[in-house]
Amino acid sequence: MGWVHEDPDADLYDHEGYAVAVLADGTEPEPIQVPLTNGDAAPNSAWWLYHGRDGRPLAAGVKAACACGWRAKEIHPVYFDDHEMTDGFEYNDGPYWNWAREHIASLLGTAMPPELSDALDTVAEHVKQLAVERPLVVLATVARMEALVAAYAPTAGATARAKDVTWDRIGKVLGTTRQAAYQRFRKYTEAARTDDGLPIHIGGCTYQFAAHNDRCGCAGLNDEGQPTVSVVRAADVEHARHA
């Protein structure tokens, strides 16, 4: 069995991933006829079958593949005595990493542009090298990164919700839970209105908005856009704390 993305909202069950053997010339070998218990034979392309013995081709490496026909460009070392090291699933590395980060991420709409991914890798490498040698430089770098997150994460979260991305999907992209994503971004999302047409801001609101209208709705919403707490008015004491 290969790798399967198990998010039911994504509907990617036809994109099972696996590692395939690559020969020295860069091509994939033909399937091998493997004997079955009933005396018949069936074609099999498992990478570990290409060990160079009994007349079989010898794999020079492996790369990621998908049932849909997609193939990764990057070739990784093959370790016939270590399947986990070869396919990379247990280490989030190797062919598995290519399948998840390049192919599946692209289908999910979460794939980074190559230049952004490369830039982040460069920053990570510099931070790793300077953490001990020049800790103040690393702290200054972290401060700038945190400022970027504070400036743009709310917009990204609110925009994702406006495009009907579920809280569960947002949580998975962030490597966290649905509830954690909801708690983080709900106050930046405007997803419903009061009976008289005034916006309900999830979690909190801007005092400026309330002051201009003399009233505002502040409520948490569920995924159906229904309030989970009562609506409060601008004159309420609790609302004044948003000022």
Side-chain angles (χ1 to χ4, degrees):
M1 181 178 177
W3 319 305
V4 178
H5 185 81
E6 297 182 347
D7 183 354
D9 293 330
D11 190 23
L12 295 177
Y13 293 106
D14 292 333
H15 291 271
E16 181 177 354
Y18 49 92
V20 295
V22 180
L23 302 179
D25 63 0
T27 63
E28 295 179 33
E30 293 294 325
I32 292 175
Q33 295 296 320
V34 178
L36 303 177
T37 55
N38 62 4
D40 294 334
N44 195 320
S45 298
W47 63 264
W48 57 84
L49 296 176
Y50 301 93
H51 45 59
R53 303 188 300 273
D54 303 324
R56 297 179 180 180
L58 176 63
V62 292
K63 66 181 180 181
C66 181
C68 71
W70 173 87
R71 294 293 189 270
K73 294 181 179 180
E74 185 176 4
I75 298 176
H76 300 272
V78 56
Y79 305 96
F80 289 104
D81 58 347
D82 193 334
H83 286 212
E84 293 179 353
M85 180 68 75
T86 299
D87 69 28
F89 176 77
E90 294 295 333
Y91 303 96
N92 194 30
D93 197 5
Y96 171 76
W97 191 95
N98 292 131
W99 172 80
R101 298 294 182 177
E102 297 174 13
H103 184 51
I104 297 301
S106 177
L107 295 173
L108 292 173
T110 59
M112 293 184 190
E115 58 272 19
L116 176 58
S117 180
D118 292 344
L120 289 174
D121 288 342
T122 300
V123 171
E125 186 61 29
H126 282 300
V127 168
K128 179 180 178 181
Q129 293 177 357
L130 296 174
V132 175
E133 298 175 5
R134 302 179 65 184
L136 293 181
V137 171
V138 171
L139 291 176
T141 303
V142 169
R144 289 191 61 180
M145 295 168 65
E146 290 177 341
L148 285 173
V149 171
Y152 298 108
T155 299
T159 303
R161 285 294 293 160
K163 293 183 177 181
D164 296 324
V165 179
T166 65
W167 286 117
D168 186 65
R169 183 86 169 275
I170 294 173
K172 283 183 169 63
V173 169
L174 292 170
T176 186
T177 65
R178 171 189 181 280
Q179 182 63 23
Y182 172 75
Q183 293 293 336
R184 180 175 181 178
F185 294 114
R186 62 176 183 168
K187 61 180 174 290
Y188 304 111
T189 308
E190 180 180 309
R193 292 180 178 274
T194 60
D195 293 338
D196 51 6
L198 294 176
I200 292 177
H201 294 258
I202 298 180
C205 67
T206 62
Y207 185 74
Q208 181 181 12
F209 173 87
H212 279 303
N213 294 273
D214 194 36
R215 63 202 309 191
C216 179
C218 294
L221 302 181
N222 57 26
D223 277 345
E224 287 70 45
Q226 301 300 319
T228 58
V229 297
S230 60
V231 174
V232 296
R233 297 302 178 184
D236 291 348
V237 175
E238 285 297 313
H239 182 276
R241 293 195 299 175
H242 293 303

